[in-house]
Amino acid sequence: MGGVVAKWSGGDQRTGTLVTKERRGREQIGYGNVTALRRASRLLAAYEQVWRDRIHAIDQLVTEDPGR
């Protein structure tokens, strides 16, 4: 197997490698680590929700009736 293309530094070394690649002659074949990609996807979805909630709260403050 070739070198690691990208690593995710989430602390869990068992699933830390997202993608690896292998050179076969002139071709470079890439492989995804499904477990690591799923975990990264879940964490990113959680962060997305946190930021969406924050944006919603800011929007509520900005559009709030100043006479209240």
Side-chain angles (χ1 to χ4, degrees):
M1 276 278 170
V4 173
V5 175
K7 280 193 173 185
W8 174 59
S9 59
D12 186 354
Q13 295 302 313
R14 294 171 292 144
T15 61
T17 303
L18 291 177
V19 178
T20 57
K21 70 177 179 179
E22 174 184 345
R23 183 174 280 285
R24 292 184 189 170
R26 288 194 242 171
E27 295 181 330
Q28 291 187 30
I29 310 298
Y31 301 94
N33 180 336
V34 175
T35 302
L37 290 168
R38 284 186 180 144
R39 182 163 189 240
S41 178
R42 284 193 308 270
L43 289 170
L44 289 170
Y47 279 118
E48 178 184 13
Q49 189 58 52
V50 166
W51 282 104
R52 287 185 182 278
D53 291 345
R54 288 178 180 182
I55 291 168
H56 179 73
I58 291 169
D59 187 48
Q60 294 294 341
L61 289 172
V62 170
T63 59
E64 188 175 272
D65 183 11
R68 290 169 94 194

